[in-house]
Amino acid sequence: MVDLKIILDKHKLFRVGLLIKGIDGILGFLGGLVVLFISTGSIIKVFNFFTRYELIEDPDDIIANALVDFANHLSIDTKIFIALYLISYSLVKVVLVSGLRRNKKWSYPMACTVMTLFIIYQLFRDYHTHSVWLAIFTMIDIVIVYLIYSEYKGQRQVLVS
């Protein structure tokens, strides 16, 4: 027997996950545009601005130093990669979230497939970059894929019953 409370909780998590992914998609798209059109010098200034007080307080702060180091070593190729990655992945997320919110049957397997491919790519990138942030976002994406799959499986079971 299926526990209805667990299904409702998963469904709520699914809806919250969609909301987060939708907002993330919109912000990621806008962020990608900003990264694409802002100069690397401006990026360095922004990173320095947001880390300066933390570095005054604690000059050995690992995260603040990593951010400043990242900005100072940012190449044009990396900047373009980040921008195009954000724009493309964000557009895909917005389209898939839109389909999932409207309960389009095609969007469930498509979302699981596309997000799994991005997860594999993110794991590959994390293996080379050892980015804590990328690892955290990858774990969140894995949970979202699980929730999408659970929602889809639950809908299919209801249709069969």
Side-chain angles (χ1 to χ4, degrees), residues 11-52:
H11 181 71
K12 285 180 184 176
L13 283 174
F14 170 74
R15 300 300 282 186
V16 169
L18 286 184
L19 178 64
I20 291 169
K21 278 296 176 189
I23 292 169
D24 177 50
I26 292 166
L27 293 176
F29 178 78
L30 295 173
L33 289 177
V34 168
V35 170
L36 188 61
F37 292 111
I38 194 171
S39 70
T40 52
S42 295
I43 292 172
I44 291 169
K45 287 178 186 174
V46 168
F47 275 63
N48 286 335
F49 175 79
F50 283 111
T51 58
R52 71 176 175 208

Side-chain angles (χ1 to χ4, degrees), residues 37-130:
F37 292 111
I38 194 171
S39 70
T40 52
S42 295
I43 292 172
I44 291 169
K45 287 178 186 174
V46 168
F47 275 63
N48 286 335
F49 175 79
F50 283 111
T51 58
R52 71 176 175 208
Y53 292 116
E54 185 59 36
L55 290 173
I56 289 169
E57 184 179 307
D58 179 11
D60 296 324
D61 185 285
I62 295 172
I63 295 173
N65 279 304
L67 289 170
V68 170
D69 187 56
F70 170 77
N72 287 326
H73 293 96
L74 183 63
S75 70
I76 298 294
D77 289 341
T78 300
K79 183 180 92 98
I80 291 172
F81 167 79
I82 290 169
L84 295 179
Y85 178 83
L86 282 171
I87 291 168
S88 63
Y89 186 35
S90 297
L91 283 175
V92 168
K93 273 194 266 190
V94 168
V95 168
L96 291 174
V97 166
S98 176
L100 291 168
R101 297 262 318 147
R102 292 183 289 133
N103 203 26
K104 299 293 183 185
K105 299 301 177 210
W106 60 265
S107 62
Y108 292 88
M110 182 67 74
C112 287
T113 301
V114 169
M115 287 189 68
T116 299
L117 292 173
F118 272 107
I119 288 167
I120 291 167
Y121 179 70
Q122 288 169 198
L123 290 170
F124 171 77
R125 288 287 297 174
D126 191 45
Y127 176 78
H128 293 289
T129 63
H130 307 291

Side-chain angles (χ1 to χ4, degrees), residues 122 126 131-143:
Q122 288 169 198
D126 191 45
S131 167
V132 173
W133 293 109
L134 187 57
I136 290 169
F137 291 130
T138 301
M139 293 304 296
I140 292 169
D141 284 346
I142 290 169
V143 171

